[in-house]
Amino acid sequence: MKIHDLASALRLEVSKLHKTLRVHTKLSEGLSLSEITALSLLYFNGTVYPSELAEVLRIKAQSVSQVVALLDEKGLIVRTPSDIDKRKIALTLSMKGKHLVEESRRQRDSWLTEAMNATLNKQELELLEKAVKVLEKLSDY
């Protein structure tokens, strides 16, 4: 297989797996991909400013305002004025938001574990373990 064809096949399968994982996560129903990504970013980074969120999500400030407003309305985030510049608002996860992210991760991990046990043999699991290290290199590029 040529490298371009391999890249295309990899992209397709990673995309399908990502969509399948979203389907098997009941807690994220009703949230857009931008909202889910924002929650994940807050979970891993703690405090984030809307401008940083816009950069990661690759959306305009107006769109970030909508995402932030929806997450705030659902009680998933906390807005705190910056100590340095009161015009800036720091965003953090609320306890409800943190629990949602953690339960969502648990559901996805559980489904994926079940799928791996049901469909992969020992050699395929060992191959997948090696493939994860390769995928990490690609993700870090």
Side-chain angles (χ1 to χ4, degrees):
M1 183 180 286
K2 293 182 181 178
I3 193 158
H4 181 271
D5 295 335
L6 178 59
S8 183
L10 177 61
R11 178 194 46 76
L12 177 64
E13 293 308 319
V14 167
S15 179
K16 282 172 39 182
L17 181 58
H18 182 258
K19 289 174 185 173
T20 301
L21 285 169
R22 282 194 67 203
V23 166
H24 288 89
T25 305
K26 303 294 184 230
L27 292 175
S28 63
E29 289 177 358
L31 294 176
S32 71
L33 184 56
S34 292
E35 292 163 353
I36 292 168
T37 303
L39 292 175
S40 182
L41 182 69
L42 289 167
Y43 184 82
F44 288 107
N45 294 312
T47 301
V48 174
Y49 290 96
S51 58
E52 297 168 319
L53 200 52
E55 188 177 320
V56 169
L57 297 174
R58 297 180 183 184
I59 58 177
K60 296 178 182 175
Q62 181 180 1
S63 297
V64 166
S65 295
Q66 292 172 341
V67 169
V68 169
L70 288 167
L71 293 174
D72 188 34
E73 184 180 298
K74 293 177 181 183
L76 300 174
I77 62 168
V78 175
R79 298 184 200 200
T80 308
S82 168
D83 293 334
I84 300 167
D85 184 348
K86 297 296 181 191
R87 295 171 296 171
K88 289 188 174 186
I89 303 295
L91 308 173
T92 55
L93 282 180
S94 67
M95 286 306 292
K96 181 179 177 182
K98 183 180 181 207
H99 290 306
L100 182 124
V101 171
E102 289 172 347
E103 182 59 21
S104 175
R105 290 172 54 109
R106 189 199 62 71
Q107 286 178 3
R108 287 178 286 156
D109 287 350
S110 178
W111 179 86
L112 192 52
T113 299
E114 181 182 323
M116 290 165 57
N117 281 328
T119 61
L120 304 178
N121 63 36
K122 184 180 179 195
Q123 291 79 22
E124 290 169 324
L125 288 169
E126 290 170 358
L127 181 61
L128 187 58
E129 185 177 352
K130 292 175 185 173
V132 166
K133 293 174 184 163
V134 174
L135 290 171
E136 286 173 353
K137 287 173 74 173
L138 288 174
S139 294
D140 292 339
Y141 176 73

